[in-house]
Amino acid sequence: MIKIGIPRALLYYQYYPMWQTFFEELGAEVVVSPPTTQTVLSEGSSRVVAETCLPTKVFLGHVLSLVKKCDYIFIPAIRSVKSKTYNCSKFLGLPDMTKAVIPESPPILDIDIDVNKGKHELYQAIYKLGRRFTWNPFRVRRASIAAWQANLNYQQLLCNHSLTPPQAIERILDTPGVEPKTHSEYPIPMQATIAIIGHPYLLYDEHINYRLIHRLKQAQNKVLTPEMLTTEELESATARLVGRAKWTCEEEVVGAGGHYLRSGADGVIGITAFGCGPDSLMMDIVQRQAQTMTTPFMSLTLDEHTAEAGIVTRLEAFLDMIYRKKRKRICV
Amino acid sequence: MRIGMPHMGNTYIPFKALFQRLNVDFVLSPISNRRTLSLGVRHSPEGLCIPFKLTLGNLIEATELGADTLLMPSGYGICRLGYYAMTQEQILHDLGYNNIKVIGVGFSEHKLFGLLKIIKQLSNNAPWIRIISAFRIGLTKLNALDKIERVVQKIRAVELVKGTANKLYAKAVKAIDEADDYNTLKKVETGYINQLKQIDKNPQAQPLIVGITGEFYVLLEPFSNLDVENELGKLGVEVRRRLFISGWTKFSLFLNSLGINEMAKIHKAALPYLKRDIGGDGWESVGEKVLHAKEYDGLIHLAPFTCMPEIVAQNIMPSTKENIPVLTILCDEQTTKTGMLTRLEAFVDLLERKRRARHNNRY
């Protein structure tokens, strides 16, 4: 059976159930790289120039860990998933960049996703990808329909059950991981509601953000993430802040930020990677909005030099500030 | 309405001519300098690239001089640029300039007619005939400037007394700025080109040829790249640059809509290494390395710090089969002239040694 490798990085968190269904329907086996570790990160960063952003380095590390473990590696080049949007160059150049910096990698399966070019081009691209497994166009069609359904189910699961992507993927795969215990068994009231905004590949990669979500939960805070919002909520919040979204991944930052700032989160934490092009503008928009609404906002920039102690100190200070603000409000 | 716009090399000259002919009040902000940069840096989000910071500085300086309508290049599908006009307007409002309007001008999006329409709006509905004649003189000035610059690039490398060409070039730029009709313009152009060609040359000079490629703005704004072309000229290197604003305008406004793409050859060369357009000038940077590997002695790749397409290009470049030394220079507010000069000198030394080795092998 053909083995397809999927790196556990970047768009994995958004589309993994869809990709898995697609390839399995076509009779391939899917191999996912293990979670990020320090070795993955440092091997990934050793291959590229220093200015490359952290998520890309992590991604390349995952590709390296898949070398010799699969026959193909699936790396899509996603330009747009909505009309008139555009994606960061690093996503577009990802297949070519991987080929250039990891010459020993297995052959790369790439697919151009660009809805601006019209449905026909999109279907052609999917068929071209499926043709590597079967000559039968109807089988490719069946696989894509099943994949799309899997994607819809996945989004439903995220939105309705307030699960994080790794939890939802675990539930779909039916392999419940060891859920780190929080104190939620005890009936202690929640201290505050904290919203975290940013791209899924930063929020849910526990190695690079030092288990931020877990830490917040452990401190008895309710954590809100962009995936918990419906598409309509995200879109209307984006429209309020910037008009029409211009980036493919804009809604999870600007939309979620705009929504949570307004819907009464006690504080918002924005997570960006150092040198992230789109984020440098989008986080700025959210930060400006937070300033006018006087909601506490903290911007955390991650790179491979980020240290655990630094993150913890900043997090504690931020939480203390929010608690004090809340107490004051209650007293008055 | 008083119009201001950011600087990029000498582009202010054609725009000044255009707006003067249409009787539009055009505010010429100071040429980019240290103050522009520090103003821009102070008010920009930290992760943005130097083109954003410098143009913001220009816009702030234009506003200080009384401009209220600012033009800013923009467009869909080209890296972060599409967002700049909006963000800069927001920043200016936050600084207290509440009545400022920043108009995003998408050259490749609006095409020629869209651009002319914007000019018509700005000029209070001037008749089309006047707009077109003003547009034409602007283009002629642009062409004249670039023609002279091409000659200067060649002469700088071989002139006997360093700096002569630069002095003449400065005079030529001034003369073109002041010229008001086609005849004078033509006379200025040929006159200065002749003068440049008569500069005393070093008969023994065999200049190295170095291509220069990379991101649009840092290539064309000498302040942002610390005048790298001039410094190379001083080291006796002939600089070759594909990108000239006049050529770019010609293609993006006229010929591209007819289906002629000047970049097709470059894209084809890049194809084995980079299959798709990644926004900005990343595709072209890779293509130029492949295309000119035989022709040039070395290549200088200029990119602003945190530029997304150029980082991808920078990662792909070392893997090409066509081998040619590449020096990547990242430009941002921290780049210093001494640091850059040291790197340039080392690079030129390396190229010279390579050429000598090639020469010795031949005999």
Side-chain angles (χ1 to χ4, degrees), chain B residues 281-294:
Chain B
D281 307 287
W283 210 10
E284 287 83 41
S285 296
V286 176
E288 272 194 74
K289 183 192 167 189
V290 176
L291 202 61
H292 298 305
K294 288 255 156 58

Side-chain angles (χ1 to χ4, degrees), chain A residues 207-244:
Chain A
H207 179 75
I208 57 178
N209 66 24
Y210 294 96
R211 302 197 299 157
L212 188 74
I213 295 181
H214 177 65
R215 275 175 212 280
L216 281 170
K217 279 187 181 156
Q218 201 136 54
Q220 258 103 48
N221 296 297
K222 191 170 174 224
V223 179
L224 302 170
T225 59
E227 279 71 28
M228 293 173 187
L229 297 173
T230 60
T231 324
E232 291 78 46
E233 282 171 319
L234 288 175
E235 267 170 11
S236 70
T238 314
R240 210 167 46 234
L241 247 64
V242 290
R244 196 174 52 78

Side-chain angles (χ1 to χ4, degrees), chain A residues 47-49 51-52 77 79 84-86 88-90 92-93 95-97 99-101 110-112 116 242 244 246-247 250 274-278 280-282 284-285 288 301, chain B residues 43 45-48 52 76-80 82-84 86-87 90-91 94 109 271-280 305-309 311-312 314-316 319 330:
Chain A
R47 295 295 178 112
V48 285
V49 292
E51 293 84 32
T52 318
R79 190 178 298 263
K84 286 254 169 191
T85 58
Y86 200 71
C88 169
S89 309
K90 280 165 202 153
L92 303 176
D96 297 296
M97 198 159 106
K99 203 169 86 187
V101 299
D110 55 354
I111 172 174
D112 271 286
N116 288 327
V242 290
R244 196 174 52 78
K246 290 192 185 66
W247 295 102
E250 179 159 354
F274 178 71
C276 178
S280 60
L281 283 163
M282 297 192 293
D284 185 64
I285 291 167
R288 275 170 201 278
T301 307
Chain B
H43 301 295
E46 57 167 355
L48 276 166
F52 181 94
Y76 153 78
I78 352 172
C79 69
R80 288 176 273 188
Y83 253 124
Y84 284 6
M86 195 187 88
T87 314
Q90 184 66 45
I91 291 173
D94 288 353
E109 207 170 307
L271 221 51
Y273 308 105
L274 186 56
K275 273 190 247 167
R276 40 185 86 72
D277 180 20
I278 51 169
F305 183 56
T306 75
C307 176
M308 311 177 293
I311 287 178
V312 176
Q314 199 189 343
N315 276 321
I316 290 177
S319 73
L330 292 172

Side-chain angles (χ1 to χ4, degrees), chain B residues 224-239:
Chain B
S224 71
N225 62 33
L226 300 169
D227 217 356
V228 66
E229 288 188 19
N230 186 21
E231 296 304 332
L232 281 169
K234 276 192 210 158
L235 292 171
V237 172
E238 187 183 322
V239 175

Side-chain angles (χ1 to χ4, degrees), chain A residues 55-284:
Chain A
T56 312
K57 288 174 179 165
V58 171
F59 181 87
L60 294 170
H62 279 285
V63 173
L64 277 169
S65 71
L66 281 170
V67 170
K68 288 193 185 147
K69 287 192 188 128
C70 53
D71 306 317
Y72 290 102
I73 287 194
F74 178 59
I75 306 176
I78 295 187
R79 190 178 298 263
S80 62
V81 289
K82 234 178 238 163
S83 82
K84 286 254 169 191
T85 58
Y86 200 71
N87 210 346
C88 169
S89 309
K90 280 165 202 153
F91 282 106
L92 303 176
L94 209 54
D96 297 296
M97 198 159 106
T98 313
K99 203 169 86 187
V101 299
I102 310 181
E104 73 267 31
S105 89
I108 290 166
L109 289 182
D110 55 354
I111 172 174
D112 271 286
I113 302 280
D114 188 358
V115 294
N116 288 327
K117 281 190 184 156
K119 266 187 183 161
H120 184 68
E121 289 265 340
L122 184 66
Y123 293 159
Q124 286 254 306
I126 296 173
Y127 178 56
K128 229 170 98 188
L129 178 69
R131 215 171 46 187
R132 288 174 186 252
F133 304 94
T134 172
W135 58 270
N136 184 354
F138 293 104
R139 215 171 143 208
V140 178
R141 189 183 133 87
R142 211 163 48 230
S144 358
I145 291 171
W148 184 245
Q149 192 54 46
N151 187 39
L152 292 180
N153 290 346
Y154 175 60
Q155 275 171 4
Q156 194 95 38
L157 205 60
L158 288 178
C159 185
N160 291 357
H161 295 264
S162 297
L163 292 176
T164 62
Q167 285 170 340
I169 290 173
E170 270 163 15
R171 190 175 284 195
I172 289 173
L173 299 181
D174 215 20
T175 50
V178 201
E179 178 69 10
K181 272 218 165 125
T182 49
H183 302 286
S184 54
E185 295 98 50
Y186 308 102
I188 298 174
M190 284 294 166
Q191 297 252 38
T193 314
I194 310 287
I196 303 192
I197 58 167
H199 304 298
Y201 49 81
L202 293 174
L203 260 51
Y204 307 116
D205 193 330
E206 295 201 322
H207 179 75
I208 57 178
N209 66 24
Y210 294 96
R211 302 197 299 157
L212 188 74
I213 295 181
H214 177 65
R215 275 175 212 280
L216 281 170
K217 279 187 181 156
Q218 201 136 54
Q220 258 103 48
N221 296 297
K222 191 170 174 224
V223 179
L224 302 170
T225 59
E227 279 71 28
M228 293 173 187
L229 297 173
T230 60
T231 324
E232 291 78 46
E233 282 171 319
L234 288 175
E235 267 170 11
S236 70
T238 314
R240 210 167 46 234
L241 247 64
V242 290
R244 196 174 52 78
K246 290 192 185 66
W247 295 102
T248 297
C249 44
E250 179 159 354
E251 269 136 17
E252 62 214 32
V253 178
V254 176
H259 182 89
Y260 285 134
L261 283 175
R262 208 157 126 163
S263 71
D266 296 311
V268 178
I269 301 180
I271 302 185
T272 63
F274 178 71
C276 178
D279 272 3
S280 60
L281 283 163
M282 297 192 293
M283 273 302 167
D284 185 64

